[in-house]
Amino acid sequence: METMVRFESVGQYNAFNNNETRHPLVSVVDLSKANPRQGSRMYFGLYTVFLKDVNCGDLVYGRHTYDYQEGTLVFLAPGQVAGINSNTYQPKGYALVFHPDLLLGTSLKSTIHDYSFFGYQSNEALHLSERERQIVLDCFAKIDYELQQNIDKHSKKLIVANIELFLDYCMRFYDRQFITRDHVHQGVLERLETLLTRYFGSDAPQTVGLPSVAYCADQLNLSANYLGDLVKKETGRSAHEYIQSKLIDVAKEKIFDRSKTVNEIAYELGFKYPQHFSRVFKQRVGHSPNEYRMLN
């Protein structure tokens, strides 16, 4: 891989790909205009969405690689690093890039973090049907149309509205992918259940502490956002709630062992403070650990 290239502005990314900068904060980039290049690592200070049209190598995202094919969308949030593992290739497809400052003063500013796919890993990319791809291209075309007009008081509102429309479509497409790619997701909940059972059956809680969503996701080779969304779709509960539910089930079993105090049980489960354990237990069960022990 080459030295990392940094893109802090839309203008820098346009120049890198031989595209004109019509607006300082947003651009629809035609990647086919870029010069042929070799694999590189890139830092993005922008929200970036790639629509992949041809296979040009493995996308590198963090520690993972993923061979993403035609008709695939990959999402990057500001501060993320991506790149391509490849010999010389001609980029093709499109990229939508927009600076966080574009969202200032808009409703999208407060909802952008709801689009959790900006935190997915590349192996959790969005695979499009041909019809979905056409919808994406239509959204890009509407944004590009506005960029070709003279900037006026309506420009920002219309551009941001079309970006929000595009992101809402992507939410719908991801919901479809969770359903249609069952073979990919099959067994994730079972694997999560097994992971938690083994975790609480070992001394890991005393040495590592309470298992977090990030820890579980890492053990399952998923991003925390993707695991959270997958658990939510399957169970209606957040991943944190799912893990906490398993924790309480284990706690209930341990409480029946009268040879251990509640404090000892709290430390065995990974709580630093017994009071925290008692508070969580009462919130979930309706009784304190001691009350539950007496009732049963």
Side-chain angles (χ1 to χ4, degrees), residues 11-31:
Q12 289 174 336
Y13 192 67
N14 278 328
F16 183 74
N17 291 287
N18 298 324
N19 278 237
E20 178 186 355
T21 298
R22 300 191 182 100
H23 191 294
L25 299 178
V26 58
S27 182
V28 176
V29 182
D30 182 351
L31 297 174

Side-chain angles (χ1 to χ4, degrees), residues 12 45 65-66 71 105 120 122 130 168 229 253 275 290 293 296:
Q12 289 174 336
T65 61
Y66 178 71
Y120 288 178
S122 61
E130 181 55 34
D168 285 341
D229 288 346
E253 293 178 12
Q275 302 93 321
N290 277 320
R293 174 175 276 176
N296 292 274

Side-chain angles (χ1 to χ4, degrees), residues 227-247:
L227 177 62
D229 288 346
L230 189 58
V231 171
K232 186 76 171 179
K233 295 286 190 307
E234 292 291 326
T235 69
R237 294 183 291 175
S238 70
H240 175 72
E241 289 171 332
Y242 187 92
I243 294 169
Q244 198 171 77
S245 177
K246 178 65 176 178
L247 167 69

